[in-house]
Amino acid sequence: DLLDYDFHLTPIVTSIILDGDPIDVLIGGGKSGEVIALSAESGEQIWSTKVGIHQNDEVLELPDPPTGITVFPGHFGGVETPMAYSEGMVYAPVVNLGSEATSQWSRTFDFQEGTGELVAIEANSGDIVWAYEFDSMVFGAATVVNDLVFTSTYDGVIYAFDKYNGTLEWSYESPAGINAWPAVSEDKIIFPAGVQTGDQEPILIAFRLDK
């Protein structure tokens, strides 16, 4: 694991149609910036889709002396936080944060330079259906409620999109940055905002979901 590309997310367990027949699959993702569907029975890879920015991410060794090359996704990039699944679509939150690949790998990132994306992928084929780009990193996971998919960014903005076509339906700027994901209970969705901005302490923000 030269570039710290953990395949760390809990996989989505579902079924897809393959060659006209249903098949049980696991859909996972990780810091390599790939979303991968595997046969639940055999582990065979069915499809793999790259999301976000990719640059020099197939290097075989770190340069010496450590002058470095810029790699996307870096070790804090890729699909860092949980994906969501609904009605045959996978929603992947993406962090585009490059790192300089050297022996000092863990010291070469700047969170202020990162951007993000939310990418909708068709589960049967692995094809990207729509994608939305952000000026800040997406550490807010993806959460589907009814016809909306929610995510949030490191600069503290919460977003809700039409899950079918990616239209931005609603946004809210919290008083602190966000690097975690919400909980849903009955008619409420609750976001933690904990990246300190000025004198703002970490808080929880609850919104009522219209029925």
Side-chain angles (χ1 to χ4, degrees):
D1 187 17
L2 183 67
L3 301 179
D4 194 26
Y5 281 168
D6 309 327
F7 193 71
H8 61 286
L9 296 180
T10 301
I12 294 165
V13 181
T14 187
S15 62
I16 65 172
I17 301 300
L18 181 66
D19 297 327
D21 296 316
I23 179 176
D24 294 331
V25 296
L26 308 174
I27 301 175
K31 293 162 69 175
S32 65
E34 295 174 280
V35 180
I36 300 172
L38 306 172
S39 165
E41 181 177 355
S42 67
E44 178 184 359
Q45 180 174 301
I46 298 169
W47 53 256
S48 176
T49 301
K50 288 188 174 183
V51 294
I53 298 173
H54 286 260
Q55 178 181 316
N56 298 319
D57 58 342
E58 297 180 355
V59 295
L60 300 178
E61 60 184 21
L62 296 179
D64 186 26
T67 54
I69 57 174
T70 300
V71 173
F72 278 87
H75 55 289
F76 271 105
V79 187
E80 283 277 358
T81 53
M83 302 181 293
Y85 176 86
S86 178
E87 296 187 78
M89 200 81 71
V90 179
Y91 300 93
V94 180
V95 174
N96 292 318
L97 180 63
S99 298
E100 187 180 2
T102 73
S103 58
Q104 303 296 318
W105 182 235
S106 63
R107 304 178 186 175
T108 57
F109 59 86
D110 182 352
F111 274 14
Q112 303 308 313
E113 296 180 357
T115 62
E117 300 176 33
L118 182 64
V119 181
I121 302 170
E122 214 251 345
N124 285 336
S125 64
D127 293 338
I128 294 176
V129 177
W130 58 261
Y132 191 96
E133 297 182 356
F134 305 92
D135 292 331
S136 182
M137 298 177 297
V138 180
F139 286 131
T143 303
V144 174
V145 181
N146 299 328
D147 292 339
L148 297 176
V149 54
F150 290 86
T151 195
S152 56
T153 48
Y154 190 69
D155 61 359
V157 182
I158 300 167
Y159 299 87
F161 298 91
D162 183 303
K163 70 178 184 180
Y164 301 107
N165 58 33
T167 300
L168 177 60
E169 299 289 352
W170 173 83
S171 64
Y172 175 86
E173 186 170 352
S174 72
I178 300 174
N179 65 347
W181 42 96
V184 177
S185 178
E186 297 181 350
D187 64 344
K188 294 181 179 63
I189 185 167
I190 304 167
F191 287 86
V195 180
Q196 192 165 1
T197 303
D199 296 329
Q200 176 63 52
E201 295 294 327
I203 59 173
L204 291 174
I205 309 172
F207 300 94
R208 185 174 61 81
L209 298 164
D210 289 334
K211 296 182 178 179

PDB file of all heavy atoms in Angstrom, residues 10-36:
ATOM      1  N   THR A  10     -17.230   0.424   4.816  1.00  0.00           N
ATOM      2  CA  THR A  10     -18.153  -0.699   4.922  1.00  0.00           C
ATOM      3  C   THR A  10     -18.899  -0.849   3.601  1.00  0.00           C
ATOM      4  O   THR A  10     -19.473   0.122   3.101  1.00  0.00           O
ATOM      5  CB  THR A  10     -19.165  -0.461   6.055  1.00  0.00           C
ATOM      6  OG1 THR A  10     -18.451  -0.285   7.277  1.00  0.00           O
ATOM      7  CG2 THR A  10     -20.128  -1.621   6.179  1.00  0.00           C
ATOM      8  N   PRO A  11     -18.898  -2.031   2.989  1.00  0.00           N
ATOM      9  CA  PRO A  11     -19.506  -2.163   1.665  1.00  0.00           C
ATOM     10  C   PRO A  11     -21.030  -2.099   1.700  1.00  0.00           C
ATOM     11  O   PRO A  11     -21.665  -2.432   2.705  1.00  0.00           O
ATOM     12  CB  PRO A  11     -19.028  -3.534   1.194  1.00  0.00           C
ATOM     13  CG  PRO A  11     -18.776  -4.292   2.449  1.00  0.00           C
ATOM     14  CD  PRO A  11     -18.266  -3.282   3.438  1.00  0.00           C
ATOM     15  N   ILE A  12     -21.585  -1.668   0.594  1.00  0.00           N
ATOM     16  CA  ILE A  12     -23.038  -1.705   0.372  1.00  0.00           C
ATOM     17  C   ILE A  12     -23.399  -3.100  -0.134  1.00  0.00           C
ATOM     18  O   ILE A  12     -22.770  -3.614  -1.058  1.00  0.00           O
ATOM     19  CB  ILE A  12     -23.437  -0.640  -0.661  1.00  0.00           C
ATOM     20  CG1 ILE A  12     -23.177   0.772  -0.103  1.00  0.00           C
ATOM     21  CG2 ILE A  12     -24.888  -0.797  -1.092  1.00  0.00           C
ATOM     22  CD1 ILE A  12     -23.204   1.860  -1.159  1.00  0.00           C
ATOM     23  N   VAL A  13     -24.379  -3.720   0.476  1.00  0.00           N
ATOM     24  CA  VAL A  13     -24.841  -5.052   0.069  1.00  0.00           C
ATOM     25  C   VAL A  13     -26.157  -4.884  -0.678  1.00  0.00           C
ATOM     26  O   VAL A  13     -27.132  -4.377  -0.129  1.00  0.00           O
ATOM     27  CB  VAL A  13     -25.044  -5.970   1.287  1.00  0.00           C
ATOM     28  CG1 VAL A  13     -25.498  -7.362   0.847  1.00  0.00           C
ATOM     29  CG2 VAL A  13     -23.754  -6.070   2.101  1.00  0.00           C
ATOM     30  N   THR A  14     -26.188  -5.304  -1.941  1.00  0.00           N
ATOM     31  CA  THR A  14     -27.399  -5.151  -2.740  1.00  0.00           C
ATOM     32  C   THR A  14     -27.387  -6.173  -3.868  1.00  0.00           C
ATOM     33  O   THR A  14     -26.565  -7.090  -3.877  1.00  0.00           O
ATOM     34  CB  THR A  14     -27.496  -3.701  -3.288  1.00  0.00           C
ATOM     35  OG1 THR A  14     -28.765  -3.523  -3.929  1.00  0.00           O
ATOM     36  CG2 THR A  14     -26.374  -3.391  -4.255  1.00  0.00           C
ATOM     37  N   SER A  15     -28.280  -6.021  -4.809  1.00  0.00           N
ATOM     38  CA  SER A  15     -28.282  -6.874  -6.001  1.00  0.00           C
ATOM     39  C   SER A  15     -28.400  -5.992  -7.232  1.00  0.00           C
ATOM     40  O   SER A  15     -28.980  -4.899  -7.188  1.00  0.00           O
ATOM     41  CB  SER A  15     -29.430  -7.879  -5.958  1.00  0.00           C
ATOM     42  OG  SER A  15     -30.676  -7.227  -5.941  1.00  0.00           O
ATOM     43  N   ILE A  16     -27.812  -6.469  -8.332  1.00  0.00           N
ATOM     44  CA  ILE A  16     -27.873  -5.757  -9.599  1.00  0.00           C
ATOM     45  C   ILE A  16     -28.304  -6.744 -10.682  1.00  0.00           C
ATOM     46  O   ILE A  16     -28.392  -7.953 -10.435  1.00  0.00           O
ATOM     47  CB  ILE A  16     -26.526  -5.116  -9.967  1.00  0.00           C
ATOM     48  CG1 ILE A  16     -25.458  -6.207 -10.210  1.00  0.00           C
ATOM     49  CG2 ILE A  16     -26.078  -4.138  -8.887  1.00  0.00           C
ATOM     50  CD1 ILE A  16     -24.149  -5.667 -10.761  1.00  0.00           C
ATOM     51  N   ILE A  17     -28.557  -6.218 -11.863  1.00  0.00           N
ATOM     52  CA  ILE A  17     -28.862  -7.071 -13.015  1.00  0.00           C
ATOM     53  C   ILE A  17     -27.605  -7.182 -13.870  1.00  0.00           C
ATOM     54  O   ILE A  17     -27.061  -6.183 -14.328  1.00  0.00           O
ATOM     55  CB  ILE A  17     -30.024  -6.491 -13.840  1.00  0.00           C
ATOM     56  CG1 ILE A  17     -31.270  -6.352 -12.962  1.00  0.00           C
ATOM     57  CG2 ILE A  17     -30.310  -7.392 -15.048  1.00  0.00           C
ATOM     58  CD1 ILE A  17     -31.772  -7.652 -12.366  1.00  0.00           C
ATOM     59  N   LEU A  18     -27.141  -8.412 -14.066  1.00  0.00           N
ATOM     60  CA  LEU A  18     -25.957  -8.663 -14.866  1.00  0.00           C
ATOM     61  C   LEU A  18     -26.294  -9.695 -15.935  1.00  0.00           C
ATOM     62  O   LEU A  18     -26.716 -10.814 -15.617  1.00  0.00           O
ATOM     63  CB  LEU A  18     -24.813  -9.180 -13.986  1.00  0.00           C
ATOM     64  CG  LEU A  18     -23.485  -9.457 -14.694  1.00  0.00           C
ATOM     65  CD1 LEU A  18     -22.881  -8.154 -15.221  1.00  0.00           C
ATOM     66  CD2 LEU A  18     -22.509 -10.153 -13.754  1.00  0.00           C
ATOM     67  N   ASP A  19     -26.165  -9.309 -17.200  1.00  0.00           N
ATOM     68  CA  ASP A  19     -26.505 -10.179 -18.326  1.00  0.00           C
ATOM     69  C   ASP A  19     -27.939 -10.703 -18.215  1.00  0.00           C
ATOM     70  O   ASP A  19     -28.234 -11.861 -18.515  1.00  0.00           O
ATOM     71  CB  ASP A  19     -25.533 -11.361 -18.410  1.00  0.00           C
ATOM     72  CG  ASP A  19     -24.107 -10.908 -18.671  1.00  0.00           C
ATOM     73  OD1 ASP A  19     -23.926  -9.890 -19.368  1.00  0.00           O
ATOM     74  OD2 ASP A  19     -23.174 -11.576 -18.169  1.00  0.00           O
ATOM     75  N   GLY A  20     -28.822  -9.826 -17.745  1.00  0.00           N
ATOM     76  CA  GLY A  20     -30.240 -10.155 -17.671  1.00  0.00           C
ATOM     77  C   GLY A  20     -30.676 -10.879 -16.422  1.00  0.00           C
ATOM     78  O   GLY A  20     -31.872 -11.117 -16.234  1.00  0.00           O
ATOM     79  N   ASP A  21     -29.733 -11.220 -15.546  1.00  0.00           N
ATOM     80  CA  ASP A  21     -30.072 -11.967 -14.334  1.00  0.00           C
ATOM     81  C   ASP A  21     -29.668 -11.183 -13.090  1.00  0.00           C
ATOM     82  O   ASP A  21     -28.656 -10.473 -13.087  1.00  0.00           O
ATOM     83  CB  ASP A  21     -29.359 -13.325 -14.325  1.00  0.00           C
ATOM     84  CG  ASP A  21     -29.802 -14.226 -15.467  1.00  0.00           C
ATOM     85  OD1 ASP A  21     -31.029 -14.286 -15.719  1.00  0.00           O
ATOM     86  OD2 ASP A  21     -28.931 -14.846 -16.101  1.00  0.00           O
ATOM     87  N   PRO A  22     -30.422 -11.341 -11.988  1.00  0.00           N
ATOM     88  CA  PRO A  22     -30.032 -10.675 -10.744  1.00  0.00           C
ATOM     89  C   PRO A  22     -28.829 -11.370 -10.115  1.00  0.00           C
ATOM     90  O   PRO A  22     -28.691 -12.596 -10.186  1.00  0.00           O
ATOM     91  CB  PRO A  22     -31.281 -10.814  -9.865  1.00  0.00           C
ATOM     92  CG  PRO A  22     -31.985 -12.024 -10.391  1.00  0.00           C
ATOM     93  CD  PRO A  22     -31.702 -12.061 -11.866  1.00  0.00           C
ATOM     94  N   ILE A  23     -27.956 -10.579  -9.512  1.00  0.00           N
ATOM     95  CA  ILE A  23     -26.783 -11.109  -8.831  1.00  0.00           C
ATOM     96  C   ILE A  23     -26.530 -10.285  -7.579  1.00  0.00           C
ATOM     97  O   ILE A  23     -26.661  -9.061  -7.589  1.00  0.00           O
ATOM     98  CB  ILE A  23     -25.539 -11.090  -9.763  1.00  0.00           C
ATOM     99  CG1 ILE A  23     -24.309 -11.631  -9.031  1.00  0.00           C
ATOM    100  CG2 ILE A  23     -25.289  -9.711 -10.329  1.00  0.00           C
ATOM    101  CD1 ILE A  23     -23.065 -11.740  -9.897  1.00  0.00           C
ATOM    102  N   ASP A  24     -26.211 -10.960  -6.470  1.00  0.00           N
ATOM    103  CA  ASP A  24     -25.894 -10.266  -5.224  1.00  0.00           C
ATOM    104  C   ASP A  24     -24.480  -9.703  -5.302  1.00  0.00           C
ATOM    105  O   ASP A  24     -23.545 -10.392  -5.730  1.00  0.00           O
ATOM    106  CB  ASP A  24     -26.000 -11.217  -4.033  1.00  0.00           C
ATOM    107  CG  ASP A  24     -27.422 -11.687  -3.795  1.00  0.00           C
ATOM    108  OD1 ASP A  24     -28.356 -10.927  -4.123  1.00  0.00           O
ATOM    109  OD2 ASP A  24     -27.596 -12.801  -3.276  1.00  0.00           O
ATOM    110  N   VAL A  25     -24.335  -8.454  -4.867  1.00  0.00           N
ATOM    111  CA  VAL A  25     -23.036  -7.793  -4.978  1.00  0.00           C
ATOM    112  C   VAL A  25     -22.694  -7.045  -3.689  1.00  0.00           C
ATOM    113  O   VAL A  25     -23.563  -6.742  -2.867  1.00  0.00           O
ATOM    114  CB  VAL A  25     -22.995  -6.799  -6.160  1.00  0.00           C
ATOM    115  CG1 VAL A  25     -23.158  -7.515  -7.485  1.00  0.00           C
ATOM    116  CG2 VAL A  25     -24.042  -5.700  -5.993  1.00  0.00           C
ATOM    117  N   LEU A  26     -21.399  -6.755  -3.563  1.00  0.00           N
ATOM    118  CA  LEU A  26     -20.876  -5.838  -2.565  1.00  0.00           C
ATOM    119  C   LEU A  26     -20.276  -4.672  -3.328  1.00  0.00           C
ATOM    120  O   LEU A  26     -19.509  -4.873  -4.275  1.00  0.00           O
ATOM    121  CB  LEU A  26     -19.795  -6.504  -1.716  1.00  0.00           C
ATOM    122  CG  LEU A  26     -20.153  -7.839  -1.065  1.00  0.00           C
ATOM    123  CD1 LEU A  26     -18.929  -8.433  -0.385  1.00  0.00           C
ATOM    124  CD2 LEU A  26     -21.280  -7.666  -0.074  1.00  0.00           C
ATOM    125  N   ILE A  27     -20.603  -3.447  -2.917  1.00  0.00           N
ATOM    126  CA  ILE A  27     -20.065  -2.254  -3.573  1.00  0.00           C
ATOM    127  C   ILE A  27     -19.282  -1.472  -2.531  1.00  0.00           C
ATOM    128  O   ILE A  27     -19.829  -1.050  -1.511  1.00  0.00           O
ATOM    129  CB  ILE A  27     -21.181  -1.388  -4.189  1.00  0.00           C
ATOM    130  CG1 ILE A  27     -21.974  -2.205  -5.211  1.00  0.00           C
ATOM    131  CG2 ILE A  27     -20.585  -0.146  -4.849  1.00  0.00           C
ATOM    132  CD1 ILE A  27     -23.164  -1.475  -5.795  1.00  0.00           C
ATOM    133  N   GLY A  28     -17.975  -1.336  -2.774  1.00  0.00           N
ATOM    134  CA  GLY A  28     -17.114  -0.675  -1.806  1.00  0.00           C
ATOM    135  C   GLY A  28     -16.345   0.474  -2.430  1.00  0.00           C
ATOM    136  O   GLY A  28     -16.358   0.691  -3.646  1.00  0.00           O
ATOM    137  N   GLY A  29     -15.660   1.209  -1.577  1.00  0.00           N
ATOM    138  CA  GLY A  29     -14.849   2.325  -2.048  1.00  0.00           C
ATOM    139  C   GLY A  29     -13.767   2.638  -1.037  1.00  0.00           C
ATOM    140  O   GLY A  29     -13.767   2.122   0.090  1.00  0.00           O
ATOM    141  N   GLY A  30     -12.838   3.502  -1.428  1.00  0.00           N
ATOM    142  CA  GLY A  30     -11.763   3.838  -0.521  1.00  0.00           C
ATOM    143  C   GLY A  30     -10.913   4.977  -1.020  1.00  0.00           C
ATOM    144  O   GLY A  30     -11.273   5.707  -1.952  1.00  0.00           O
ATOM    145  N   LYS A  31      -9.746   5.104  -0.418  1.00  0.00           N
ATOM    146  CA  LYS A  31      -8.888   6.259  -0.637  1.00  0.00           C
ATOM    147  C   LYS A  31      -8.201   6.257  -2.000  1.00  0.00           C
ATOM    148  O   LYS A  31      -7.580   7.248  -2.384  1.00  0.00           O
ATOM    149  CB  LYS A  31      -7.865   6.340   0.485  1.00  0.00           C
ATOM    150  CG  LYS A  31      -8.525   6.670   1.827  1.00  0.00           C
ATOM    151  CD  LYS A  31      -7.643   6.341   3.011  1.00  0.00           C
ATOM    152  CE  LYS A  31      -6.454   7.264   3.085  1.00  0.00           C
ATOM    153  NZ  LYS A  31      -5.662   7.009   4.332  1.00  0.00           N
ATOM    154  N   SER A  32      -8.308   5.163  -2.744  1.00  0.00           N
ATOM    155  CA  SER A  32      -7.760   5.142  -4.103  1.00  0.00           C
ATOM    156  C   SER A  32      -8.643   5.896  -5.087  1.00  0.00           C
ATOM    157  O   SER A  32      -8.277   6.045  -6.263  1.00  0.00           O
ATOM    158  CB  SER A  32      -7.599   3.700  -4.586  1.00  0.00           C
ATOM    159  OG  SER A  32      -8.860   3.070  -4.704  1.00  0.00           O
ATOM    160  N   GLY A  33      -9.811   6.375  -4.633  1.00  0.00           N
ATOM    161  CA  GLY A  33     -10.710   7.085  -5.537  1.00  0.00           C
ATOM    162  C   GLY A  33     -11.403   6.177  -6.519  1.00  0.00           C
ATOM    163  O   GLY A  33     -11.713   6.577  -7.638  1.00  0.00           O
ATOM    164  N   GLU A  34     -11.674   4.944  -6.108  1.00  0.00           N
ATOM    165  CA  GLU A  34     -12.377   3.974  -6.944  1.00  0.00           C
ATOM    166  C   GLU A  34     -13.588   3.424  -6.199  1.00  0.00           C
ATOM    167  O   GLU A  34     -13.521   3.186  -4.987  1.00  0.00           O
ATOM    168  CB  GLU A  34     -11.459   2.819  -7.319  1.00  0.00           C
ATOM    169  CG  GLU A  34     -10.285   3.212  -8.189  1.00  0.00           C
ATOM    170  CD  GLU A  34      -9.329   2.051  -8.401  1.00  0.00           C
ATOM    171  OE1 GLU A  34      -8.519   1.786  -7.482  1.00  0.00           O
ATOM    172  OE2 GLU A  34      -9.403   1.400  -9.459  1.00  0.00           O
ATOM    173  N   VAL A  35     -14.667   3.221  -6.936  1.00  0.00           N
ATOM    174  CA  VAL A  35     -15.837   2.508  -6.424  1.00  0.00           C
ATOM    175  C   VAL A  35     -15.898   1.186  -7.177  1.00  0.00           C
ATOM    176  O   VAL A  35     -15.835   1.172  -8.415  1.00  0.00           O
ATOM    177  CB  VAL A  35     -17.125   3.324  -6.628  1.00  0.00           C
ATOM    178  CG1 VAL A  35     -18.329   2.564  -6.084  1.00  0.00           C
ATOM    179  CG2 VAL A  35     -17.000   4.686  -5.940  1.00  0.00           C
ATOM    180  N   ILE A  36     -15.998   0.083  -6.433  1.00  0.00           N
ATOM    181  CA  ILE A  36     -15.836  -1.239  -7.027  1.00  0.00           C
ATOM    182  C   ILE A  36     -16.995  -2.136  -6.629  1.00  0.00           C
ATOM    183  O   ILE A  36     -17.386  -2.185  -5.462  1.00  0.00           O
ATOM    184  CB  ILE A  36     -14.506  -1.880  -6.576  1.00  0.00           C
ATOM    185  CG1 ILE A  36     -13.326  -1.001  -7.012  1.00  0.00           C
ATOM    186  CG2 ILE A  36     -14.353  -3.284  -7.138  1.00  0.00           C
ATOM    187  CD1 ILE A  36     -11.989  -1.439  -6.460  1.00  0.00           C
TER     188      ILE A  36
END
